Amino acid sequence: MYQNQRQSPVSPRRTKTVSIVIPTYNEAENISRLIEAIKDNLPSGIFTEIIVVDDNSPDGTGKIVETYTQNNNNSATKKSSLQRQDQKQEQNVLEINSNKNCSVKVINRENRNGLIPAILQGISSSGGDYILVMDADFSHSPENIPRMIEELLHNPDQIVVASRYVKGSSVVGWPVKRKIISRCANIIARYVLRLCNITDPMSGFFAFRRHLIENVTIDTSGYKLLLELLVKVNGGNTRVREIPYTFTDRQSGRSKMDNGVMIDYIKAVWHLYRYGQKSKQTTEQNKEKRKSILFLSKAGRFFTIGASGLLVNYVISYLLSNGILANLWYVQATGIGIICSITSNFFLNKAWTFEDRNFSARHTLRQYGLFFGMSSIGAALQLAILYFLVESADMKYEVSLILAVAIASMSNFLLNKKWTFREKVWG
Ligand code: GDD
Ligand code: MN
């Protein structure tokens, strides 16, 4: 029934304002009264913009709002301070500044192509910092608006939802059949999409800060914009504040809920479920990627330090054996060189590779002992592999040495990572 949309509903312009977006289709009997009721209930000191988004209603809802704006607008300006520059040319937009704190505007869309697209168009042509979405048929009483806005201003990073199922709420005038459908749809959404922090994810009466949806792409067809926001904003981790209210079935006009809407709903839930699965997969993949990068960077540091150790070993052995620092027997000098290089390797690895800042004597000494042990194991392993490759596998000494050094260094890295510095081998 509805076409898929791919759009980001965020306009770049901002003012400290609340934009109330009201989608309408055949709401001729309600719309003027609703605008009046909203004006009567506006919180003081806040600039409010009412945006009616009409899909060319056959009953003339759009025309009624146009006439309303003209009648209430003796000093009418067709362009208000809220209107974006790039919308100057936008046709079918008429608005007034009926009083200093409230303006009314109607967007006349040519075709009826879905509730969500209508709301998104209202949002993207609005200028407010805060957006409130509500129905036109008085099911969502304007009396709740001040409380919702207050909650939002108090905690701007949450989505404020007027909820039918939180304690203190009620639903008046719905036939049993509609109540059952709503409850089932509610359970499906919460169970399939794992929405645990909200009792009424199907609400059409909610408010949020424009900033919150900046990088969100809305692309389901259907009726339930809130559902999509709950799944997509902040990777599904947005905080929600539910406010109890009394949902009253419409007194005038007819509901547009039909089988098509229900089928669209199932499609949307399926789509959002798949979306959740995919982003979970991407998160897992990213985690895995991060782990391998971390592993490689640590291995890189470890081997760099290993190379520096060879240099330390060489220089110290040389200085101790040729009379510059001392004149030791070359075996003694090399022994001291090896101990010095293991020691410098240890401290460099502790501080740089494994970023361990605990230098308490006991802890450090214990690690040093282990590092020494692991290095000895590495050396023994290197010798054993070398011996095996040359003697039993008949390989050339030069090649065998490279292999033996590579295997021994890797085992050295892994053993020290796990046992000396108590890290997971992977990650
Ligand atoms: N522009 C536009 N285009 N507006 C529409 C369209 C459309 O295709 N379809 C419906 N609307 C408007 C209606 O004029 C009304 O203001 C609002 O959207 C809700 O439509 P209703 O027909 O009154 O819906 P409902 O009462 O059955 O459903 C309500 O309850 C649901 C929860 O069970 C709505 O609040 C839903 O948003 C809500 O999810
Ligand atoms: Mn309704």
Side-chain angles (χ1 to χ4, degrees), residues 61-75:
T61 305
K63 274 266 164 303
I64 291 173
V65 184
E66 273 181 28
T67 314
Y68 177 94
T69 59
Q70 279 154 0
N71 289 346
N72 284 271
N73 189 23
N74 296 332
S75 58

Side-chain angles (χ1 to χ4, degrees), residues 58-342:
D59 73 353
T61 305
K63 274 266 164 303
I64 291 173
V65 184
E66 273 181 28
T67 314
Y68 177 94
T69 59
Q70 279 154 0
N71 289 346
N72 284 271
N73 189 23
N74 296 332
S75 58
T77 42
K78 288 201 172 182
K79 176 172 77 72
S80 89
S81 55
L82 284 170
Q83 199 166 355
R84 284 167 38 189
Q85 288 302 312
D86 57 351
Q87 286 170 339
K88 272 188 190 168
Q89 284 90 0
E90 195 177 314
Q91 287 170 346
N92 301 327
V93 174
L94 189 71
E95 70 180 291
I96 60 153
N97 248 323
S98 56
N99 66 45
K100 244 169 70 188
N101 286 328
C102 179
S103 71
V104 182
K105 143 170 151 184
V106 57
I107 297 174
N108 286 308
R109 286 156 45 96
E110 270 176 22
N111 297 309
R112 185 181 183 201
N113 77 340
L115 182 56
I116 290 183
I119 297 172
L120 293 181
Q121 190 170 345
I123 293 174
S124 58
S125 64
S126 71
D129 243 357
Y130 302 92
I131 313 287
L132 185 145
V133 181
M134 68 187 292
D135 292 353
D137 58 358
F138 282 94
S139 288
H140 302 154
S141 166
E143 285 168 17
N144 298 290
I145 293 175
R147 166 110 196 262
M148 291 171 77
I149 292 175
E150 191 188 318
E151 290 286 350
L152 191 57
L153 294 178
H154 203 242
N155 225 326
D157 287 329
Q158 58 189 8
I159 301 183
V160 175
V161 178
S163 164
R164 291 162 294 179
Y165 302 122
V166 82
K167 199 166 166 251
S169 315
S170 57
V171 174
V172 176
W174 257 6
V176 177
K177 183 180 150 202
R178 181 78 207 250
K179 279 188 182 165
I180 293 173
I181 292 174
S182 172
R183 279 289 185 180
C184 291
N186 189 311
I187 290 168
I188 291 173
R190 288 171 63 199
Y191 183 77
V192 175
L193 303 176
R194 295 178 194 281
L195 300 170
C196 327
N197 60 347
I198 182 161
T199 62
D200 192 4
M202 333 285 292
S203 175
F205 195 10
F206 54 96
F208 55 90
R209 190 179 172 199
R210 173 187 297 276
H211 174 71
L212 211 67
I213 55 169
E214 240 153 28
N215 298 315
V216 178
T217 305
I218 307 293
D219 56 5
T220 63
S221 52
Y223 237 55
K224 313 291 177 191
L225 178 59
L226 176 62
L227 203 59
E228 190 149 351
L229 295 183
L230 291 171
V231 172
K232 292 186 174 174
V233 172
N234 275 338
N237 294 317
T238 315
R239 278 191 302 137
V240 173
R241 174 90 177 105
E242 286 190 285
I243 290 177
Y245 81 112
T246 303
F247 177 99
T248 321
D249 195 18
R250 60 165 72 237
Q251 305 296 310
S252 319
R254 284 182 50 195
S255 165
K256 283 94 213 167
M257 166 74 86
D258 56 17
N259 290 343
V261 171
M262 284 193 261
I263 290 168
D264 276 343
Y265 171 70
I266 300 292
K267 279 197 216 157
V269 172
W270 173 243
H271 174 91
L272 292 174
Y273 172 74
R274 296 279 307 241
Y275 174 90
Q277 296 293 98
K278 268 194 208 138
S279 52
K280 215 164 87 188
Q281 254 173 27
T282 319
T283 322
E284 290 298 318
Q285 278 167 0
N286 283 347
K287 264 194 203 154
E288 215 32 57
K289 209 166 137 193
R290 266 205 303 279
K291 273 188 190 167
S292 51
I293 290 173
L294 202 64
F295 182 86
L296 288 177
S297 91
K298 289 203 172 187
R301 288 178 185 194
F302 192 86
F303 297 139
T304 310
I305 291 170
S308 82
L310 290 180
L311 194 71
V312 169
N313 187 353
Y314 185 87
V315 171
I316 291 191
S317 309
Y318 181 76
L319 297 179
L320 288 177
S321 59
N322 76 347
I324 297 180
L325 280 183
N327 211 349
L328 301 179
W329 179 36
Y330 75 94
V331 175
Q332 275 178 326
T334 308
I336 297 176
I338 289 175
I339 292 172
C340 287
S341 70
I342 289 179

